[in-house]
Amino acid sequence: MWTKYHKKRRLGRFVLPAMTVAFLSYFGYHCVHGDYGLRATEVFEQQRIARQQELAVLVAKREHFEKEVALLSDGSLDKDMLDEKARYQLNYSRPDEIVVFNK
């Protein structure tokens, strides 16, 4: 039978705050240490910077090759470039020449 004055339990006061602390602790931990947390964001940023530098190197190489191809195209054939490529591929030089390779 219920009465107007029933005894309050001390344990009942701590259930909701304990659940709240557990909930916030769980999500707080995963905000920092999770797959997409703060620490993972730092790793992603380092990877982004490294890949951006790698992209810059590859773009520079591509531009260099595009310039070489433009010099060897039919419309503007550069005879010095053609001679240089032919000598490099055939490993040919005259006895009075000095050959310097840049790679």
Side-chain angles (χ1 to χ4, degrees):
M1 170 175 184
W2 287 95
T3 62
K4 189 173 184 180
Y5 302 101
H6 64 279
K7 193 178 203 180
K8 292 186 180 180
R9 297 182 198 158
R10 288 186 180 194
L11 187 61
R13 285 188 234 167
F14 299 114
V15 172
L16 184 60
M19 288 175 58
T20 304
V21 167
F23 182 79
L24 292 175
S25 298
Y26 175 79
F27 285 107
Y29 176 81
H30 286 288
C31 283
V32 175
H33 299 285
D35 291 340
Y36 299 104
L38 296 174
R39 290 194 179 173
T41 304
E42 293 172 1
V43 173
F44 290 150
E45 185 65 22
Q46 291 171 355
Q47 288 177 349
R48 186 190 65 80
I49 290 169
R51 289 181 179 160
Q52 191 172 15
Q53 291 171 350
E54 184 180 339
L55 176 65
V57 169
L58 292 174
V59 166
K61 282 183 182 179
R62 188 195 76 218
E63 289 173 354
H64 173 71
F65 289 137
E66 285 176 354
K67 287 178 185 175
E68 285 187 6
V69 168
L71 291 173
L72 292 174
S73 66
D74 288 336
S76 63
L77 184 63
D78 187 19
K79 301 215 185 287
D80 290 332
M81 181 62 104
L82 182 63
D83 184 51
E84 175 186 333
K85 291 292 181 184
R87 287 175 183 258
Y88 180 74
Q89 293 292 327
L90 298 174
N91 198 19
Y92 174 76
S93 65
R94 291 187 291 222
D96 62 340
E97 291 180 331
I98 297 173
V99 178
V100 178
F101 291 107
N102 285 347
K103 282 283 177 168

